[in-house]
């Protein structure tokens, strides 16, 4: 089942001579449960694409459908609610609330949505991510990798249909990046999450089921890894 599709997506910033074609006809289809990495040089349109498929910004033309719902048919208010319920974001900056402890940070979006916190489920995520001992800490008392894991736990807690990550390990050293990504992949599998992740790091990209390359606002290649490079052959 396709959980996310983009059809002929275009985004042009500005007008006339200074117009930038950030996305130039992107087609994308992501299966439920798939882990897709997006790679490409700086300025190629990766963040723009993530913002469009996450409903954070509006494309110039084209459509985005998440879990059967077309984002461009929604009002701003509907989109805000849809995003909160269906899409999880992890950014390079962790965006944790400094005055709230780890547990409070993780459950904040669920509370904002007025929903009951599924304690067992969130505790499972927390323990998978190795945060059980840190729940009463403030973010300032955590390492970068730990803060990143809190951001991932927070994104997973509301059970989003799709998890979108923009350079989630951009601030981490390569060892910690591998660890955090390993956990992201593991929680993704365990909780049947669909993940679309931007990265500059080829090693990190190799953890995905599929790598899409974007150049000048277009997807230029997409390789399926799961079948052609199975573990047994490495
Ligand atoms: N708000 C904006 N207004 C004008 N131009 C923009 C805006 N946001 C992005 N752009 C332009 O669109 C193009 C794509 O930008 P985008 O942020 O998607 O690149 P990226 O692939 O994420 O790069 P990086 O790897 O450096 O994060 C760039 O040329 C950028 O300058
Ligand atoms: Mg970017």
């Amino acid at each position: 089942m396709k959980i996310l599709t983009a059809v002929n997506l275009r985004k042009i910033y500005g007008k006339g001579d200074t117009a930038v074609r950030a996305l130039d006809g992107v087609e994308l289809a992501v299966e439920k449960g798939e882990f897709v990495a997006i790679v490409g040089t700086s300025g190629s349109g990766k963040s723009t694409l993530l913002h469009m498929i996450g409903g954070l910004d509006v494309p110039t033309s084209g459509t985005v459908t998440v879990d059967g719902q077309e984002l461009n048919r929604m009002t701003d208010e509907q989109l805000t609610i849809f995003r909160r319920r269906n899409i999880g974001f992890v950014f390079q900056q962790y965006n944790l609330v400094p005055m709230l402890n780890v547990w409070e940070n993780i459950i904040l979006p669920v509370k904002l949505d007025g929903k009951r916190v599924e304690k067992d489920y969130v505790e499972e995520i927390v323990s998978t991510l190795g945060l059980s001992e840190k729940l009463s800490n403030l973010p300032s008392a955590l390492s970068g990798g730990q803060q990143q894991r809190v951001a991932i736990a927070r994104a997973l807690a509301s059970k989003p249909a799709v998890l979108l990550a923009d350079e989630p390990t951009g601030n981490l050293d390569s060892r910690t990046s591998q660890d955090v990504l390993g956990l992201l992949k593991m929680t993704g599998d365990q909780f049947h999450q669909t993940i679309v992740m931007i990265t500059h790091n080829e090693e990190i990209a190799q953890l995905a089921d599929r790598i899409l390359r974007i150049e000048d606002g277009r997807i230029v290649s997409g390789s399926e890894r799961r079948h052609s490079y199975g573990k047994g052959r490495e």
Side-chain angles (χ1 to χ4, degrees):
M1 177 209 161
K2 302 264 185 288
I3 192 80
L4 167 69
T5 54
V7 177
N8 203 8
L9 210 55
R10 289 175 202 276
K11 179 68 176 180
I12 300 170
Y13 290 110
K15 284 198 165 70
D17 289 350
T18 57
V20 176
R21 272 175 192 278
L23 293 182
D24 196 10
V26 167
E27 305 278 337
L28 180 66
V30 179
E31 293 287 334
K32 188 167 166 49
E34 201 179 7
F35 180 8
V36 176
I38 298 178
V39 300
T41 54
S42 180
S44 56
K46 304 181 297 296
S47 295
T48 303
L49 176 58
L50 209 74
H51 292 162
M52 302 298 142
I53 60 184
L56 290 173
D57 198 357
V58 183
T60 305
S61 65
T63 58
V64 175
T65 307
V66 177
D67 206 8
Q69 305 230 49
E70 239 183 77
L71 302 192
N72 45 304
R73 288 175 184 268
M74 296 180 194
T75 62
D76 281 355
E77 199 185 343
Q78 287 171 327
L79 187 57
T80 302
I81 294 169
F82 182 82
R83 224 174 23 224
R84 203 189 286 151
R85 295 193 178 154
N86 296 283
I87 303 171
F89 293 96
V90 181
F91 295 107
Q92 189 172 346
Q93 285 75 27
Y94 318 122
N95 299 319
L96 302 177
V97 180
M99 308 300 285
L100 299 181
N101 70 28
V102 166
W103 176 258
E104 292 161 342
N105 263 285
I106 292 171
I107 62 170
L108 183 64
V110 179
K111 290 220 147 171
L112 283 177
D113 200 22
K115 283 195 297 204
R116 202 179 61 81
V117 175
E118 286 181 48
K119 207 158 166 278
D120 291 351
Y121 179 71
V122 179
E123 274 171 0
E124 206 180 334
I125 294 168
V126 162
S127 108
T128 307
L129 290 167
L131 291 168
S132 304
E133 311 292 305
K134 300 286 180 187
L135 292 178
S136 53
N137 283 41
L138 292 178
S140 57
L142 299 177
S143 73
Q146 288 164 345
Q147 291 182 55
Q148 190 58 283
R149 282 183 271 148
V150 175
I152 292 170
R154 179 184 54 188
L156 290 169
S158 55
K159 297 188 176 173
V162 181
L163 186 75
L164 302 177
D166 196 345
E167 298 274 1
T169 59
N171 284 325
L172 307 177
D173 62 65
S174 71
R175 169 77 198 281
T176 312
S177 297
Q178 288 280 348
D179 289 351
V180 168
L181 248 295
L183 284 169
L184 181 63
K185 189 175 161 63
M186 197 169 93
T187 43
D189 287 344
Q190 192 171 338
F191 303 107
H192 311 292
Q193 292 287 334
T194 308
I195 303 172
V196 179
M197 176 192 66
I198 294 172
T199 181
H200 272 115
N201 184 325
E202 285 286 340
E203 251 178 89
I204 295 275
Q206 301 300 322
L207 292 169
D209 299 322
R210 182 154 62 113
I211 302 175
L212 296 178
R213 264 166 229 289
I214 181 162
E215 259 174 41
D216 297 328
R218 290 189 188 161
I219 291 175
V220 290
S221 74
S223 67
E224 199 77 40
R225 285 185 48 81
R226 192 180 266 162
H227 305 298
S228 44
Y229 300 97
K231 274 216 171 86
R233 296 177 46 185
E234 282 170 6

